[in-house]
Short mmCIF file of all heavy atoms in Angstrom, two decimals:
data_model
loop_
_atom_site.label_atom_id
_atom_site.label_comp_id
_atom_site.label_asym_id
_atom_site.label_seq_id
_atom_site.Cartn_x
_atom_site.Cartn_y
_atom_site.Cartn_z
N MET A 30 77.01 106.70 79.00
CA MET A 30 77.18 108.13 79.15
C MET A 30 78.09 108.66 78.04
O MET A 30 79.03 107.96 77.66
CB MET A 30 77.79 108.46 80.51
CG MET A 30 76.95 108.04 81.70
SD MET A 30 77.70 108.48 83.30
CE MET A 30 79.19 107.45 83.27
N ARG A 31 77.82 109.87 77.67
CA ARG A 31 78.72 110.57 76.74
C ARG A 31 79.12 111.90 77.41
O ARG A 31 78.26 112.57 77.97
CB ARG A 31 78.02 110.82 75.42
CG ARG A 31 77.74 109.52 74.61
CD ARG A 31 77.11 109.78 73.33
NE ARG A 31 77.64 110.99 72.71
CZ ARG A 31 76.98 112.00 72.16
NH1 ARG A 31 75.67 111.93 72.10
NH2 ARG A 31 77.50 113.07 71.65
N TYR A 32 80.37 112.26 77.21
CA TYR A 32 80.88 113.53 77.77
C TYR A 32 81.65 114.34 76.74
O TYR A 32 82.13 113.75 75.74
CB TYR A 32 81.81 113.24 78.92
CG TYR A 32 81.17 113.01 80.25
CD1 TYR A 32 80.64 111.80 80.61
CD2 TYR A 32 80.96 114.05 81.16
CE1 TYR A 32 79.98 111.56 81.83
CE2 TYR A 32 80.31 113.86 82.38
CZ TYR A 32 79.89 112.61 82.72
OH TYR A 32 79.17 112.40 83.90
N GLU A 33 81.66 115.64 76.99
CA GLU A 33 82.47 116.55 76.17
C GLU A 33 83.43 117.26 77.08
O GLU A 33 82.97 117.78 78.14
CB GLU A 33 81.58 117.53 75.44
CG GLU A 33 82.33 118.58 74.67
CD GLU A 33 81.48 119.61 74.06
OE1 GLU A 33 80.92 119.36 72.96
OE2 GLU A 33 81.24 120.70 74.68
N PHE A 34 84.69 117.33 76.71
CA PHE A 34 85.67 118.07 77.51
C PHE A 34 86.25 119.16 76.61
O PHE A 34 86.74 118.86 75.50
CB PHE A 34 86.82 117.12 77.92
CG PHE A 34 86.33 115.94 78.65
CD1 PHE A 34 86.03 114.76 78.00
CD2 PHE A 34 86.22 115.99 80.08
CE1 PHE A 34 85.59 113.62 78.76
CE2 PHE A 34 85.76 114.85 80.75
CZ PHE A 34 85.46 113.68 80.07
N ARG A 35 86.15 120.37 77.04
CA ARG A 35 86.72 121.50 76.27
C ARG A 35 88.03 121.84 76.96
O ARG A 35 88.11 122.21 78.12
CB ARG A 35 85.75 122.69 76.35
CG ARG A 35 86.13 123.84 75.48
CD ARG A 35 85.05 124.92 75.53
NE ARG A 35 83.80 124.40 74.98
CZ ARG A 35 83.37 124.74 73.76
NH1 ARG A 35 84.09 125.56 73.02
NH2 ARG A 35 82.23 124.28 73.30
N ILE A 36 89.11 121.68 76.16
CA ILE A 36 90.49 121.81 76.68
C ILE A 36 91.10 123.10 76.10
O ILE A 36 90.93 123.42 74.90
CB ILE A 36 91.36 120.61 76.20
CG1 ILE A 36 90.70 119.29 76.58
CG2 ILE A 36 92.74 120.72 76.76
CD1 ILE A 36 90.51 119.05 78.06
N ALA A 37 91.82 123.82 76.99
CA ALA A 37 92.48 125.06 76.52
C ALA A 37 93.62 124.64 75.56
O ALA A 37 94.40 123.76 75.86
CB ALA A 37 92.97 125.82 77.72
N GLY A 38 93.72 125.34 74.48
CA GLY A 38 94.77 125.12 73.47
C GLY A 38 94.48 124.01 72.46
O GLY A 38 93.47 123.29 72.59
N ARG A 39 95.37 123.87 71.57
CA ARG A 39 95.25 122.78 70.55
C ARG A 39 96.22 121.61 70.97
O ARG A 39 97.34 121.89 71.31
CB ARG A 39 95.64 123.29 69.18
CG ARG A 39 94.63 124.24 68.71
CD ARG A 39 94.84 124.57 67.25
NE ARG A 39 93.79 125.47 66.80
CZ ARG A 39 93.25 125.34 65.57
NH1 ARG A 39 93.65 124.41 64.80
NH2 ARG A 39 92.25 126.09 65.22
N LEU A 40 95.69 120.43 70.89
CA LEU A 40 96.49 119.27 71.28
C LEU A 40 97.35 118.75 70.11
O LEU A 40 96.87 118.75 69.00
CB LEU A 40 95.57 118.14 71.72
CG LEU A 40 94.63 118.40 72.92
CD1 LEU A 40 93.92 117.15 73.27
CD2 LEU A 40 95.40 118.96 74.11
N SER A 41 98.51 118.33 70.44
CA SER A 41 99.38 117.72 69.42
C SER A 41 98.76 116.33 69.10
O SER A 41 97.98 115.82 69.91
CB SER A 41 100.80 117.56 69.93
OG SER A 41 100.82 116.59 70.98
N ASP A 42 99.20 115.74 68.04
CA ASP A 42 98.73 114.39 67.69
C ASP A 42 99.09 113.38 68.77
O ASP A 42 98.35 112.52 69.11
CB ASP A 42 99.28 113.92 66.34
CG ASP A 42 98.69 114.69 65.18
OD1 ASP A 42 97.58 115.28 65.35
OD2 ASP A 42 99.31 114.73 64.11
N ALA A 43 100.31 113.53 69.34
CA ALA A 43 100.76 112.62 70.40
C ALA A 43 99.88 112.72 71.61
O ALA A 43 99.51 111.74 72.23
CB ALA A 43 102.19 112.88 70.75
N THR A 44 99.57 113.98 72.02
CA THR A 44 98.72 114.15 73.21
C THR A 44 97.31 113.69 72.92
O THR A 44 96.72 112.99 73.79
CB THR A 44 98.71 115.67 73.60
OG1 THR A 44 100.06 116.08 73.87
CG2 THR A 44 97.88 115.88 74.83
N ALA A 45 96.78 114.00 71.79
CA ALA A 45 95.43 113.51 71.44
C ALA A 45 95.37 111.98 71.44
O ALA A 45 94.36 111.40 71.80
CB ALA A 45 94.97 114.10 70.07
N GLY A 46 96.48 111.38 71.08
CA GLY A 46 96.58 109.91 71.06
C GLY A 46 96.47 109.28 72.43
O GLY A 46 96.27 108.07 72.52
N SER A 47 96.63 110.11 73.42
CA SER A 47 96.48 109.57 74.82
C SER A 47 95.01 109.34 75.19
O SER A 47 94.73 108.81 76.30
CB SER A 47 97.09 110.60 75.77
OG SER A 47 98.44 110.80 75.61
N PHE A 48 94.11 109.73 74.30
CA PHE A 48 92.67 109.57 74.52
C PHE A 48 92.02 108.87 73.31
O PHE A 48 91.19 109.44 72.67
CB PHE A 48 92.02 110.94 74.73
CG PHE A 48 92.64 111.74 75.89
CD1 PHE A 48 93.66 112.63 75.65
CD2 PHE A 48 92.22 111.50 77.16
CE1 PHE A 48 94.26 113.30 76.68
CE2 PHE A 48 92.82 112.18 78.20
CZ PHE A 48 93.86 113.12 78.02
N PRO A 49 92.42 107.58 73.12
CA PRO A 49 91.93 106.90 71.89
C PRO A 49 90.42 106.65 71.90
O PRO A 49 89.81 106.49 70.85
CB PRO A 49 92.67 105.57 71.91
CG PRO A 49 93.06 105.35 73.34
CD PRO A 49 93.27 106.77 73.91
N GLU A 50 89.78 106.70 73.11
CA GLU A 50 88.34 106.45 73.15
C GLU A 50 87.51 107.67 72.90
O GLU A 50 86.33 107.63 72.75
CB GLU A 50 87.97 105.89 74.53
CG GLU A 50 88.18 106.88 75.67
CD GLU A 50 89.54 106.82 76.32
OE1 GLU A 50 90.54 107.16 75.67
OE2 GLU A 50 89.58 106.46 77.50
N LEU A 51 88.18 108.88 72.74
CA LEU A 51 87.47 110.09 72.51
C LEU A 51 87.78 110.63 71.07
O LEU A 51 88.85 110.47 70.55
CB LEU A 51 87.89 111.16 73.50
CG LEU A 51 87.62 110.81 74.97
CD1 LEU A 51 88.16 111.88 75.91
CD2 LEU A 51 86.12 110.60 75.21
N HIS A 52 86.74 111.28 70.50
CA HIS A 52 86.94 111.99 69.24
C HIS A 52 87.50 113.40 69.56
O HIS A 52 87.30 113.95 70.64
CB HIS A 52 85.59 112.13 68.54
CG HIS A 52 84.94 110.81 68.28
ND1 HIS A 52 85.36 109.92 67.28
CD2 HIS A 52 83.92 110.16 68.89
CE1 HIS A 52 84.58 108.87 67.27
NE2 HIS A 52 83.74 108.96 68.25
N GLN A 53 88.17 113.98 68.56
CA GLN A 53 88.76 115.28 68.75
C GLN A 53 88.31 116.25 67.72
O GLN A 53 88.14 115.91 66.53
CB GLN A 53 90.29 115.12 68.65
CG GLN A 53 91.02 116.40 68.64
CD GLN A 53 92.49 116.23 68.29
OE1 GLN A 53 93.05 115.18 68.37
NE2 GLN A 53 93.15 117.34 68.02
N GLN A 54 88.12 117.54 68.11
CA GLN A 54 87.79 118.56 67.15
C GLN A 54 88.44 119.84 67.65
O GLN A 54 88.25 120.22 68.83
CB GLN A 54 86.24 118.79 67.01
CG GLN A 54 85.91 119.86 66.07
CD GLN A 54 84.40 120.02 65.98
OE1 GLN A 54 83.60 119.32 66.63
NE2 GLN A 54 83.95 120.99 65.22
N SER A 55 89.23 120.55 66.88
CA SER A 55 89.83 121.80 67.24
C SER A 55 88.94 122.94 66.83
O SER A 55 88.43 122.96 65.72
CB SER A 55 91.19 121.95 66.52
OG SER A 55 92.09 120.98 67.01
N ILE A 56 88.79 123.87 67.74
CA ILE A 56 87.97 125.08 67.44
C ILE A 56 88.73 126.26 68.12
O ILE A 56 89.10 126.26 69.25
CB ILE A 56 86.54 125.02 67.98
CG1 ILE A 56 86.52 124.71 69.47
CG2 ILE A 56 85.70 124.01 67.22
CD1 ILE A 56 85.17 124.93 70.09
N ALA A 57 88.97 127.31 67.27
CA ALA A 57 89.67 128.50 67.73
C ALA A 57 90.90 128.09 68.52
O ALA A 57 91.78 127.39 68.01
CB ALA A 57 88.72 129.38 68.52
N SER A 58 91.00 128.47 69.77
CA SER A 58 92.17 128.15 70.59
C SER A 58 91.86 127.10 71.62
O SER A 58 92.49 127.00 72.71
CB SER A 58 92.69 129.40 71.28
OG SER A 58 91.69 129.92 72.13
N GLN A 59 90.96 126.22 71.26
CA GLN A 59 90.58 125.07 72.16
C GLN A 59 90.42 123.81 71.42
O GLN A 59 90.38 123.82 70.18
CB GLN A 59 89.22 125.40 72.84
CG GLN A 59 89.25 126.65 73.73
CD GLN A 59 87.94 126.94 74.37
OE1 GLN A 59 86.90 126.47 73.91
NE2 GLN A 59 87.97 127.74 75.42
N THR A 60 90.40 122.72 72.16
CA THR A 60 90.17 121.39 71.60
C THR A 60 88.99 120.75 72.33
O THR A 60 88.94 120.80 73.49
CB THR A 60 91.43 120.48 71.72
OG1 THR A 60 92.55 121.15 71.11
CG2 THR A 60 91.20 119.14 71.15
N LEU A 61 88.07 120.21 71.53
CA LEU A 61 86.98 119.45 72.09
C LEU A 61 87.33 117.99 71.99
O LEU A 61 87.73 117.50 70.97
CB LEU A 61 85.66 119.66 71.34
CG LEU A 61 85.07 121.06 71.37
CD1 LEU A 61 83.79 121.05 70.49
CD2 LEU A 61 84.79 121.51 72.74
N LEU A 62 87.17 117.26 73.12
CA LEU A 62 87.31 115.83 73.14
C LEU A 62 85.99 115.33 73.63
O LEU A 62 85.42 115.79 74.64
CB LEU A 62 88.42 115.40 74.14
CG LEU A 62 89.82 115.79 73.77
CD1 LEU A 62 90.78 115.44 74.86
CD2 LEU A 62 90.26 115.07 72.46
N PHE A 63 85.38 114.40 72.87
CA PHE A 63 84.05 113.91 73.23
C PHE A 63 83.89 112.49 72.88
O PHE A 63 84.57 111.97 71.94
CB PHE A 63 82.99 114.80 72.58
CG PHE A 63 83.12 114.83 71.07
CD1 PHE A 63 82.44 114.02 70.26
CD2 PHE A 63 83.97 115.80 70.51
CE1 PHE A 63 82.59 114.09 68.91
CE2 PHE A 63 84.12 115.92 69.11
CZ PHE A 63 83.44 115.07 68.30
N GLY A 64 83.00 111.78 73.61
CA GLY A 64 82.74 110.43 73.35
C GLY A 64 82.19 109.68 74.50
O GLY A 64 81.85 110.28 75.54
N PRO A 65 82.12 108.34 74.39
CA PRO A 65 81.50 107.51 75.47
C PRO A 65 82.41 107.43 76.67
O PRO A 65 83.65 107.37 76.57
CB PRO A 65 81.32 106.17 74.78
CG PRO A 65 82.35 106.13 73.76
CD PRO A 65 82.53 107.54 73.23
N VAL A 66 81.81 107.49 77.83
CA VAL A 66 82.45 107.26 79.15
C VAL A 66 81.67 106.13 79.78
O VAL A 66 80.53 106.29 80.08
CB VAL A 66 82.53 108.53 79.94
CG1 VAL A 66 83.11 108.26 81.32
CG2 VAL A 66 83.28 109.64 79.20
N ALA A 67 82.38 105.03 80.10
CA ALA A 67 81.67 103.82 80.52
C ALA A 67 80.98 103.96 81.91
O ALA A 67 79.93 103.52 82.09
CB ALA A 67 82.63 102.68 80.57
N ASP A 68 81.69 104.62 82.82
CA ASP A 68 81.21 104.75 84.18
C ASP A 68 82.01 105.77 84.92
O ASP A 68 82.87 106.42 84.40
CB ASP A 68 81.27 103.38 84.89
CG ASP A 68 82.61 102.73 84.86
OD1 ASP A 68 83.66 103.42 84.74
OD2 ASP A 68 82.68 101.47 84.97
N GLY A 69 81.78 105.87 86.24
CA GLY A 69 82.49 106.89 87.04
C GLY A 69 83.95 106.63 87.12
O GLY A 69 84.81 107.60 87.13
N ALA A 70 84.39 105.34 87.17
CA ALA A 70 85.79 105.03 87.21
C ALA A 70 86.49 105.49 85.94
O ALA A 70 87.60 106.01 86.00
CB ALA A 70 86.04 103.53 87.45
N HIS A 71 85.86 105.28 84.79
CA HIS A 71 86.43 105.69 83.55
C HIS A 71 86.55 107.24 83.46
O HIS A 71 87.54 107.76 83.03
CB HIS A 71 85.52 105.17 82.39
CG HIS A 71 86.07 105.46 81.04
ND1 HIS A 71 85.33 105.44 79.91
CD2 HIS A 71 87.33 105.77 80.57
CE1 HIS A 71 86.01 105.71 78.86
NE2 HIS A 71 87.28 105.92 79.24
N LEU A 72 85.51 107.94 83.95
CA LEU A 72 85.53 109.36 83.97
C LEU A 72 86.66 109.85 84.86
O LEU A 72 87.45 110.76 84.44
CB LEU A 72 84.21 109.92 84.52
CG LEU A 72 84.09 111.44 84.68
CD1 LEU A 72 84.31 112.15 83.33
CD2 LEU A 72 82.76 111.81 85.26
N TYR A 73 86.85 109.29 85.98
CA TYR A 73 87.92 109.65 86.88
C TYR A 73 89.29 109.38 86.25
O TYR A 73 90.22 110.19 86.35
CB TYR A 73 87.81 108.86 88.20
CG TYR A 73 88.83 109.26 89.25
CD1 TYR A 73 88.74 110.48 89.86
CD2 TYR A 73 89.87 108.36 89.62
CE1 TYR A 73 89.71 110.85 90.82
CE2 TYR A 73 90.82 108.71 90.54
CZ TYR A 73 90.74 109.96 91.18
OH TYR A 73 91.64 110.36 92.09
N ALA A 74 89.44 108.31 85.55
CA ALA A 74 90.72 107.95 84.88
C ALA A 74 90.99 109.00 83.78
O ALA A 74 92.17 109.36 83.57
CB ALA A 74 90.68 106.55 84.30
N LEU A 75 89.98 109.42 83.04
CA LEU A 75 90.17 110.46 82.06
C LEU A 75 90.66 111.73 82.69
O LEU A 75 91.59 112.40 82.23
CB LEU A 75 88.85 110.74 81.27
CG LEU A 75 88.44 109.68 80.26
CD1 LEU A 75 87.04 109.89 79.78
CD2 LEU A 75 89.41 109.63 79.06
N LEU A 76 90.02 112.15 83.77
CA LEU A 76 90.45 113.38 84.50
C LEU A 76 91.89 113.29 84.94
O LEU A 76 92.60 114.24 84.89
CB LEU A 76 89.48 113.65 85.63
CG LEU A 76 88.01 113.95 85.21
CD1 LEU A 76 87.10 114.09 86.43
CD2 LEU A 76 87.98 115.23 84.35
N LEU A 77 92.29 112.13 85.43
CA LEU A 77 93.68 111.95 85.86
C LEU A 77 94.64 112.07 84.68
O LEU A 77 95.70 112.68 84.79
CB LEU A 77 93.84 110.59 86.54
CG LEU A 77 93.27 110.47 87.93
CD1 LEU A 77 93.44 109.04 88.44
CD2 LEU A 77 93.99 111.48 88.88
N ARG A 78 94.22 111.55 83.53
CA ARG A 78 95.09 111.66 82.32
C ARG A 78 95.25 113.13 81.89
O ARG A 78 96.29 113.56 81.59
CB ARG A 78 94.48 110.84 81.11
CG ARG A 78 95.07 109.48 81.03
CD ARG A 78 94.63 108.83 79.72
NE ARG A 78 93.42 108.11 79.97
CZ ARG A 78 92.61 107.62 79.09
NH1 ARG A 78 92.90 107.73 77.81
NH2 ARG A 78 91.53 106.93 79.41
N PHE A 79 94.12 113.88 81.96
CA PHE A 79 94.19 115.39 81.63
C PHE A 79 95.18 116.02 82.58
O PHE A 79 96.03 116.75 82.16
CB PHE A 79 92.82 116.03 81.79
CG PHE A 79 91.81 115.61 80.75
CD1 PHE A 79 90.55 115.13 81.06
CD2 PHE A 79 92.14 115.67 79.39
CE1 PHE A 79 89.65 114.83 80.13
CE2 PHE A 79 91.21 115.33 78.42
CZ PHE A 79 89.93 114.90 78.79
N GLU A 80 95.03 115.68 83.86
CA GLU A 80 95.91 116.29 84.88
C GLU A 80 97.38 115.90 84.66
O GLU A 80 98.31 116.75 84.68
CB GLU A 80 95.46 115.90 86.27
CG GLU A 80 96.29 116.56 87.37
CD GLU A 80 95.80 116.21 88.71
OE1 GLU A 80 94.90 115.38 88.89
OE2 GLU A 80 96.34 116.80 89.68
N ASP A 81 97.64 114.61 84.44
CA ASP A 81 98.98 114.08 84.22
C ASP A 81 99.66 114.74 83.01
O ASP A 81 100.93 114.92 83.02
CB ASP A 81 99.03 112.59 84.01
CG ASP A 81 98.73 111.80 85.33
OD1 ASP A 81 98.79 112.46 86.40
OD2 ASP A 81 98.42 110.64 85.21
N LEU A 82 98.90 115.09 82.04
CA LEU A 82 99.42 115.72 80.80
C LEU A 82 99.49 117.24 80.92
O LEU A 82 99.87 117.91 79.97
CB LEU A 82 98.61 115.30 79.61
CG LEU A 82 98.71 113.83 79.20
CD1 LEU A 82 97.67 113.44 78.19
CD2 LEU A 82 100.11 113.54 78.67
N GLY A 83 98.99 117.79 82.05
CA GLY A 83 99.07 119.24 82.25
C GLY A 83 98.02 119.97 81.43
O GLY A 83 98.18 121.13 81.12
N LEU A 84 96.95 119.32 81.07
CA LEU A 84 95.87 119.96 80.27
C LEU A 84 94.87 120.62 81.15
O LEU A 84 94.52 120.17 82.23
CB LEU A 84 95.19 118.89 79.41
CG LEU A 84 96.05 118.10 78.46
CD1 LEU A 84 95.28 117.01 77.74
CD2 LEU A 84 96.74 119.02 77.43
N ARG A 85 94.43 121.81 80.70
CA ARG A 85 93.46 122.56 81.50
C ARG A 85 92.09 122.40 80.89
O ARG A 85 91.83 122.71 79.74
CB ARG A 85 93.84 124.05 81.52
CG ARG A 85 92.87 124.89 82.43
CD ARG A 85 93.44 126.26 82.65
NE ARG A 85 93.46 127.05 81.46
CZ ARG A 85 92.44 127.82 81.00
NH1 ARG A 85 91.32 127.83 81.63
NH2 ARG A 85 92.59 128.48 79.85
N ILE A 86 91.15 121.81 81.68
CA ILE A 86 89.79 121.71 81.24
C ILE A 86 89.07 122.98 81.44
O ILE A 86 88.96 123.49 82.56
CB ILE A 86 89.09 120.56 82.03
CG1 ILE A 86 89.83 119.24 81.80
CG2 ILE A 86 87.63 120.42 81.61
CD1 ILE A 86 89.34 118.13 82.68
N VAL A 87 88.54 123.60 80.36
CA VAL A 87 87.79 124.79 80.39
C VAL A 87 86.33 124.45 80.77
O VAL A 87 85.73 125.24 81.55
CB VAL A 87 87.88 125.54 79.03
CG1 VAL A 87 87.00 126.75 79.05
CG2 VAL A 87 89.28 125.89 78.67
N GLU A 88 85.79 123.41 80.24
CA GLU A 88 84.43 123.02 80.47
C GLU A 88 84.31 121.49 80.26
O GLU A 88 84.95 120.92 79.42
CB GLU A 88 83.47 123.71 79.51
CG GLU A 88 82.05 123.40 79.68
CD GLU A 88 81.18 124.07 78.70
OE1 GLU A 88 81.63 124.78 77.81
OE2 GLU A 88 79.93 123.94 78.79
N MET A 89 83.47 120.88 81.10
CA MET A 89 83.15 119.50 80.99
C MET A 89 81.65 119.35 81.15
O MET A 89 81.09 119.94 82.02
CB MET A 89 83.88 118.71 82.17
CG MET A 89 83.51 117.25 82.19
SD MET A 89 84.37 116.39 83.53
CE MET A 89 83.07 116.41 84.75
N ARG A 90 81.02 118.60 80.24
CA ARG A 90 79.57 118.39 80.36
C ARG A 90 79.17 117.02 79.87
O ARG A 90 79.81 116.49 78.99
CB ARG A 90 78.82 119.48 79.67
CG ARG A 90 79.03 119.54 78.15
CD ARG A 90 78.35 120.73 77.54
NE ARG A 90 78.52 120.76 76.15
CZ ARG A 90 77.54 120.73 75.21
NH1 ARG A 90 76.34 120.67 75.63
NH2 ARG A 90 77.82 120.75 73.98
N ARG A 91 78.08 116.53 80.45
CA ARG A 91 77.49 115.30 79.98
C ARG A 91 76.65 115.57 78.82
O ARG A 91 75.82 116.55 78.85
CB ARG A 91 76.74 114.63 81.13
CG ARG A 91 76.32 113.29 80.77
CD ARG A 91 75.72 112.60 82.00
NE ARG A 91 75.16 111.28 81.62
CZ ARG A 91 74.59 110.50 82.42
NH1 ARG A 91 74.46 110.78 83.71
NH2 ARG A 91 74.13 109.33 82.01
N LEU A 92 76.74 114.81 77.78
CA LEU A 92 75.98 114.98 76.53
C LEU A 92 74.74 114.11 76.59
O LEU A 92 74.73 113.00 77.18
CB LEU A 92 76.79 114.67 75.31
CG LEU A 92 78.06 115.53 75.13
CD1 LEU A 92 78.90 115.01 73.98
CD2 LEU A 92 77.71 116.99 74.93
N PRO A 93 73.69 114.47 75.88
CA PRO A 93 72.56 113.58 75.74
C PRO A 93 72.91 112.32 75.04
O PRO A 93 73.83 112.31 74.19
CB PRO A 93 71.52 114.38 74.96
CG PRO A 93 72.11 115.72 74.65
CD PRO A 93 73.51 115.72 75.15
N GLU A 94 72.30 111.27 75.40
CA GLU A 94 72.51 109.95 74.69
C GLU A 94 71.99 109.97 73.28
O GLU A 94 71.00 110.64 72.99
CB GLU A 94 71.89 108.84 75.48
CG GLU A 94 72.37 108.61 76.85
CD GLU A 94 73.86 108.20 76.91
OE1 GLU A 94 74.30 107.44 75.98
OE2 GLU A 94 74.56 108.66 77.78
N TRP A 95 72.78 109.31 72.38
CA TRP A 95 72.29 109.14 71.02
C TRP A 95 71.24 108.09 71.00
O TRP A 95 71.32 107.11 71.75
CB TRP A 95 73.42 108.77 70.07
CG TRP A 95 74.40 109.87 69.82
CD1 TRP A 95 74.16 111.20 69.94
CD2 TRP A 95 75.70 109.73 69.34
NE1 TRP A 95 75.30 111.90 69.55
CE2 TRP A 95 76.24 111.02 69.19
CE3 TRP A 95 76.49 108.63 68.99
CZ2 TRP A 95 77.53 111.22 68.68
CZ3 TRP A 95 77.75 108.88 68.52
CH2 TRP A 95 78.28 110.17 68.38
N PRO A 96 70.31 108.23 70.07
CA PRO A 96 69.27 107.17 69.96
C PRO A 96 69.78 105.81 69.57
O PRO A 96 70.84 105.63 69.04
CB PRO A 96 68.27 107.68 68.90
CG PRO A 96 68.86 108.95 68.37
CD PRO A 96 70.11 109.26 69.11
#
């Protein structure tokens, strides 16, 4: 599975480093984090990390698989 997380604001390098399995792209006043998510447990762990860091998820969506 692949997911995209749209986060309010721009992440510092240190905060972005908390998500080494995800790619990062800054757009306007948001940050996109996207990449592979192994399973439901991994997704839940990512959501807990966002919460622990005080990050606000604006949008979360599952992406189509790459060929």
Side-chain angles (χ1 to χ4, degrees):
M30 299 182 292
R31 293 180 40 226
Y32 276 84
E33 176 186 276
F34 304 91
R35 188 175 293 258
I36 307 298
R39 292 187 175 222
L40 301 184
S41 68
D42 289 339
T44 302
S47 297
F48 303 94
E50 67 270 64
L51 300 176
H52 302 283
Q53 174 189 345
Q54 181 180 358
S55 295
I56 55 166
S58 60
Q59 298 178 340
T60 302
L61 295 179
L62 295 173
F63 54 94
V66 176
D68 54 25
H71 184 201
L72 177 59
Y73 185 69
L75 286 169
L76 294 174
L77 285 176
R78 265 189 270 167
F79 290 129
E80 183 178 6
D81 288 346
L82 292 168
L84 301 176
R85 186 170 64 88
I86 300 172
V87 176
E88 181 182 2
M89 177 181 96
R90 65 186 180 119
R91 188 172 174 181
L92 300 172
E94 295 298 322
W95 285 341

